[in-house]
Amino acid sequence: MTYGAWICLLSPLAGALAITLAGERISRRAAGWISTLTTFAAFGGALVAFGALWARDHGDRQELSTAYTWLSVGDFEVGMEILVDPLASVMMLVVSGVGGLIVWYSMGYMAGDDEERRFFAYMSLFVFSMLLLVQAGNFLLLLAGWGLVGLASYLLIGFWHHRAEAVAAAKKAFVMNAIGDATFMLAAVLLVWETGTLEYLGVFEEVGGLSDTTVTLVALGLLGGAVAKSAQVPLHTWLPDAMEGPTPVSALIHAATMVTAGVYLLVRAHPIFEAAVEVQQLAAILGAVTLLVAGVIALVQWDIKRVIAYSTMSQIGYMFLGAGIGAYGFAIFHLLTHAFFKALLFLAAGVVIHHLADEQDIRRMGGLKDELPRTHVAFLIGTLALVGIPPFAGFWSKDAILAATVESGGALGWTLFLAGLAGTVLTGAYAFRLYFAVFHGPRGEAAAAHAGHGEGPRSMLVPVGALAGLSVVGGLVSIPGVWHPFTSWVDETGEPLVEPVASLEYLVSAIAVALGLVGVWLARRAFLADRQLVTSPEAWRVLEHKLYFDELYDALFYRPAEAISAGLLHNVEEPVVERSLDEIGSGTIQAGGGVARLQSGLLRSYAVAVAVAVVVLVVVFVAVR
């Protein structure tokens, strides 16, 4: 089993190294194949590990494999070790499987780019980093993967570094994720201080003996890392800007990998969050707030990729909500289905963008239904799955989370349930606003200008078709009241705190589907009337400015930091540091000039100087004696 897991982890790293070391000695297409094949090799390794784990008896589905001792300081030791258990096996399959389809798609999308080799090296590095994160056997290795994912995302978002917007977006993503990295690191330091270990099992065994303050601080630190990585309010503003990267990057980051890392952390560290109930509830609340905030902002976006990006924030919010109430299996189930339909939406949008020569404004699209028939069907499938219409994948997973909120009970449970229902209306509205604007109605300027250009190469269309199929049948791995092998599998890692009965799931599903259809109806009505869903100019302006989060952070952090820097420059660095250095330099030059004048070149002058020096030394010596 562990051999398959190590193959899964190391294959993408081997691909990244091979492309980097070969450089221009291999063709750009060869670099694409190396990255694609090594990612699919990782998927093969994940399948082997999953099969071996599945064959084991219930309760014995966990294995830790240590390659060597990575760090040893006194009694503190951390190994280079990977953990294979039900949760890790699911994440390995999702990351490598969906990631492999996205990398394959990239061969068509990035064809002709001068920096293809660099792009595929970055993609392989990203997949390796994410696999390291989910396979890590301890918190230190998890933190290493956490940081590498941030680095790889920075490289990919800013891949087109000749564009100022891409560079700014990459820096923004890096800085905001660094905030979460810092809180995560502080939590790890506190764990070492209090428990003396960073091994999962050792930490979880010691949680019960820690003070409430310590557990709360650790949970808050971990939650900070999860919120930043998964782009939840208030550390969410980096994700929409990350759309400046190539479309396959958007699919990889926002579908199966980076943004799901926070959800994975909440489930992996569930004993810590269960010991800090208020922090776990805070995670659920932040998820509910995010799914609503992202939903309303998506209603006014014109960029096709930004609409899908905000939908990612919203769907991750549902996962946070599920993990925050203890419905761990449902949270990971939605992570799985979301990987299918969100990757599908991004890649289908990439086909549209590729067809329209990089046009992303939906106001210039329209009427592409007949021009891109296969892409149209795929995009419609992804949209239906996103809204949660049966029998598509999103229906089975999202509605299960909503039912779990009702089962959790109390004022908080009902509040979260109502927020989730409101999110279904918003999802139906913004998702079908996008669908109608791109594929229906009269042709826009860009659509008319590129008519007859075809849908794109097979390397793009085959992955889109595969994801479309998964978005149709992927949710059938767990059916309420019938069978639920997937959620039962994940729940072996973390026993759920809430588990709704089948009748409740049926009722909630009926309500959610009805409200989703209301959102679809609103979008259709607005489209036919040639008006927007948001008709108030004031509300539109607020939403267009993304609720002024960026302006708020600019006022609270950037401008004060800029003012302080300018003050230090003018009042400290220039007058004290630079001028003192100038004075030291000029003084040294003058002293050197004086010494140079003493160098007359006359031997008798040197003899007199030596004699005088000797006399002075003798006098001093005698005086001291």
Side-chain angles (χ1 to χ4, degrees), residues 66-77:
T66 304
Y68 57 88
T69 300
W70 183 21
L71 179 63
S72 178
V73 180
D75 295 332
F76 176 71
E77 286 190 359

Side-chain angles (χ1 to χ4, degrees), residues 382-428:
T383 305
L384 290 169
L386 171 62
V387 177
I389 304 300
F392 300 97
F395 163 75
W396 306 103
S397 56
K398 185 166 66 176
D399 291 359
I401 292 176
L402 293 176
T405 61
V406 177
E407 187 69 27
S408 66
L412 178 60
W414 282 102
T415 302
L416 296 174
F417 174 64
L418 294 175
L421 290 181
T424 61
V425 179
L426 292 171
T427 303

Side-chain angles (χ1 to χ4, degrees), residues 435-455:
Y435 166 73
F436 290 136
V438 174
F439 292 100
H440 290 269
R443 288 186 178 180
E445 296 176 19
H450 296 87
H453 285 192
E455 290 194 72

Side-chain angles (χ1 to χ4, degrees), residues 407-600:
E407 187 69 27
S408 66
L412 178 60
W414 282 102
T415 302
L416 296 174
F417 174 64
L418 294 175
L421 290 181
T424 61
V425 179
L426 292 171
T427 303
Y430 70 68
F432 272 86
R433 168 182 177 263
L434 176 64
Y435 166 73
F436 290 136
V438 174
F439 292 100
H440 290 269
R443 288 186 178 180
E445 296 176 19
H450 296 87
H453 285 192
E455 290 194 72
R458 182 175 299 178
S459 59
M460 294 174 63
L461 298 180
V462 173
V464 169
L467 289 167
L470 290 170
S471 298
V472 174
V473 303
L476 300 180
V477 295
S478 187
I479 302 176
V482 181
W483 73 323
H484 40 80
F486 181 86
T487 51
S488 298
W489 174 262
V490 175
D491 286 339
E492 291 186 31
T493 301
E495 192 67 28
L497 303 181
V498 291
E499 195 167 358
V501 296
S503 58
L504 177 61
E505 291 197 54
Y506 297 148
L507 176 61
V508 170
S509 293
I511 297 172
V513 171
L515 291 176
L517 291 174
V518 169
V520 176
W521 174 76
L522 291 173
R524 179 66 175 171
R525 181 182 177 188
F527 177 75
L528 292 176
D530 195 24
R531 62 178 176 82
Q532 294 302 315
L533 289 163
V534 179
T535 56
S536 168
E538 293 77 14
W540 183 280
R541 183 166 54 253
V542 172
L543 295 178
E544 193 173 34
H545 283 84
K546 298 167 285 188
L547 300 183
Y548 293 99
F549 273 100
D550 282 320
E551 288 81 356
L552 176 63
Y553 294 159
D554 186 70
L556 290 179
F557 304 110
Y558 180 76
R559 290 183 186 176
E562 186 181 38
I564 293 172
S565 299
L568 291 174
L569 173 65
H570 296 303
N571 299 316
V572 177
E573 184 173 344
E574 290 180 348
V576 177
V577 179
E578 292 185 3
R579 292 180 186 175
S580 62
L581 291 175
D582 290 342
E583 293 297 328
I584 292 173
S586 61
T588 303
I589 293 173
Q590 292 177 2
V595 172
R597 286 193 292 271
L598 294 176
Q599 304 301 313
S600 61

